[in-house]
Amino acid sequence: MSVDTACSSSLVAAHLGHGSLLSGKSSDSVVAGSHLTLDPYGTAAFITSGMLAEDGRCKTLDSMADGYVRGEGCGMLLLQDASSSAGASDGMLFHGCAVNQDGRSSSLTAPNGPSQQRAIQSAMRGAGVSAAEIGSLQMHGTGTPLGDPIEIGAVAAVLMGADAPRALHLGTVKSSVGHTEPAAGSLGMLRLLEELDG
């Protein structure tokens, strides 16, 4: 199945694969996202609209953040039923996930903070975990002066409340490889897996 939901494509594919496992429709799901910047016109349009960092560096959560950087990449994950013998390999447990519509925002590229909060809360309910049990988060984190503060506000509202005062490790694969657009989610999950193994 091909999924095109822009930057969230491979995450939505993982959500669909997870749902297929939970429903018993499949015992394995392969989730992949890939991106190549073969067409110069797309990049030229992003430059013209002021969306890309002038120095070619993604500065997520930095006061100097001035846009994102396009990247190329491919990430693939194998989702398996953890109760099966095949699911006993090294990896991470996919406890829960959630997808929602971004809702109203000021522009096409502007995130919606309350919608992000609801998605995080829904994923936590599905996984049966509390905010205090979450110690690491792979962010969308494009490095834009508009998007990063909205995302941090949503994360803080849900995960850093008075009932969960503790350290929360924030990461974004875009600071290393740029924004791989439809592959961003799969690469973010692989980065998280790498951190857990590390």
Side-chain angles (χ1 to χ4, degrees), residues 166-180:
R166 82 283 186 245
L168 177 65
H169 176 262
L170 300 175
T172 176
V173 73
K174 292 175 186 71
S175 292
S176 301
V177 299
H179 190 351
T180 55

